[in-house]
Amino acid sequence: MALARLRRGESGMNYWPGFVDALSTLILSIIFLLTVFVVVQFYLQQEVQGKDTALQRLNTQITQLTQILSMEKLKGADLENRLGALQASLARVQNDRDKLKGQYALDVSEKKNKESQAHITDLGKQLNVALAEHVQELSSYRSDFFGKLREVLGNRPDIRIVGDRFVLQSEIFFDTGRADLKPEGRGELDKVAVAVIGLESQIPPEIAWVLRVDGHTDVRPIAGQFGQFKSNWDLSAARAISVVRYLIDKGVQPNHLLAAGFGEFQPIDTGTTEDAFRRNRRIEFKLTER
């Protein structure tokens, strides 16, 4: 009775249906919100789980990549070690090759050197034989030449043959302390020039020869006595040159003549007498190989 009165109110109006509607609407709203919240929570949970899965997958991939990188590093280190070993081996091989090449070159050089030495020895023997033949041949021409000089110059006591030299006393050609030819000396040299020119036509061109003209003085110093020459060496050389020049003027070939001065240093008489001094003052002709 009381509830009925309450539903009706004091004014006799019924509020219950409205209250029920309002309460139903509130409950429905709450249920809707809860439903939305549950759905959102579900999707959020799914999203979070998806991200966790993706994160785990990424972590797994990173781990795999790290392992692969470590393995590659190990392989790289191994390759570097192997490369270093190969390079060292290559260096040893190259060094051995260079040694072998050097040894081979040395062997070849020694072989060539032995062959060259043998060839040189053979050439030396041939040259010695040829020289001996030329010397022997030249000796025969020398004998003929000296014989010819003896004929043209006559059997004079101041002209003699000493070994392989034709010796003439300086007084035949020069005054004391002088290097100018005397008229008598020119006449004797004319005969010598004829003999030398005849010799040039007889000796074959392959024989290299010269007529050496040697000037000699005695041991007594000449410096200060005549003023023209500073020493006996200068005097002896000047006399030899005078003879050579005169023979050239008479037609002897210059390449077959040689002038040499010996001063007082090649005496043929070591005495100190006037006769010994005279013997040492001389002009010598020597036919020799060039």
Side-chain angles (χ1 to χ4, degrees):
M1 296 288 292
L3 181 59
R5 285 193 302 270
L6 179 60
R7 289 176 180 174
R8 288 193 300 269
E10 293 180 358
S11 59
M13 295 181 66
N14 188 2
Y15 296 101
W16 181 250
F19 175 76
V20 172
D21 292 337
L23 182 59
S24 298
T25 301
L26 177 60
I27 291 172
L28 289 175
S29 296
I30 292 172
I31 292 172
F32 174 77
L33 291 175
L34 289 174
T35 302
V36 171
F37 175 76
V38 170
V39 172
V40 171
Q41 185 67 24
F42 174 77
Y43 281 108
L44 286 177
Q45 185 176 2
Q46 292 296 323
E47 184 71 18
V48 170
Q49 288 179 352
K51 290 183 178 180
D52 288 340
T53 302
L55 182 59
Q56 290 177 357
R57 187 170 57 252
L58 288 176
N59 289 332
T60 302
Q61 291 178 353
I62 290 173
T63 302
Q64 292 175 351
L65 290 175
T66 302
Q67 293 176 351
I68 293 173
L69 180 60
S70 299
M71 294 176 62
E72 292 298 328
K73 286 183 178 180
L74 291 175
K75 290 181 180 179
D78 183 62
L79 288 175
E80 288 181 357
N81 293 332
R82 293 176 61 186
L83 179 60
L86 289 174
Q87 289 177 341
S89 178
L90 178 60
R92 288 194 298 270
V93 171
Q94 289 177 340
N95 188 36
D96 293 340
R97 181 200 61 186
D98 294 339
K99 288 181 179 179
L100 289 175
K101 289 174 63 178
Q103 184 64 38
Y104 175 75
L106 181 61
D107 293 340
V108 172
S109 298
E110 289 180 353
K111 182 179 179 180
K112 288 184 178 179
N113 185 46
K114 291 180 180 179
E115 293 176 353
S116 299
Q117 290 296 333
H119 186 59
I120 291 172
T121 301
D122 184 58
L123 289 178
K125 292 179 180 178
Q126 296 179 18
L127 180 61
N128 290 334
V129 171
L131 288 175
E133 292 176 353
H134 285 318
V135 169
Q136 185 176 2
E137 190 174 1
L138 190 60
S139 297
S140 64
Y141 285 113
R142 183 187 299 119
S143 299
D144 296 340
F145 176 63
F146 285 172
K148 184 65 174 179
L149 285 181
R150 177 63 71 182
E151 291 177 7
V152 298
L153 294 177
N155 191 17
R156 298 174 47 167
D158 52 0
I159 300 176
R160 62 191 185 279
I161 298 176
V162 179
D164 60 351
R165 294 162 293 162
F166 201 86
V167 183
L168 302 90
Q169 298 308 132
S170 294
E171 285 75 13
I172 299 175
F173 306 105
F174 306 103
D175 291 327
T176 303
R178 306 282 299 179
D180 301 324
L181 287 169
K182 298 191 299 184
E184 178 187 355
R186 293 191 181 95
E188 298 298 330
L189 286 179
D190 288 343
K191 302 173 186 178
V192 174
V194 172
V196 177
I197 292 173
L199 185 67
E200 289 179 328
S201 63
Q202 296 177 13
I203 299 180
E206 62 269 15
I207 298 179
W209 65 275
V210 292
L211 179 66
R212 199 178 76 190
V213 181
D214 298 339
H216 298 268
T217 68
D218 60 41
V219 72
R220 292 175 296 184
I222 193 175
Q225 295 187 21
F226 301 94
Q228 185 178 2
F229 301 100
K230 295 181 180 180
S231 67
N232 285 326
W233 216 329
D234 293 334
L235 175 61
S236 64
R239 285 177 171 178
I241 292 173
S242 294
V243 172
V244 166
R245 285 177 175 171
Y246 189 82
L247 293 177
I248 293 174
D249 291 340
K250 291 301 178 178
V252 179
Q253 296 298 317
N255 62 309
H256 287 153
L257 293 170
L258 175 65
F262 291 89
E264 70 271 24
F265 302 106
Q266 300 291 334
I268 58 176
D269 192 332
T270 57
T272 57
T273 64
E274 186 60 38
D275 186 59
F277 292 154
R278 182 186 61 80
R279 286 167 57 84
N280 289 332
R281 296 190 302 271
R282 67 199 188 276
I283 293 293
E284 295 182 352
F285 293 108
K286 181 177 182 180
L287 188 66
T288 183
E289 61 274 7
R290 187 169 65 239

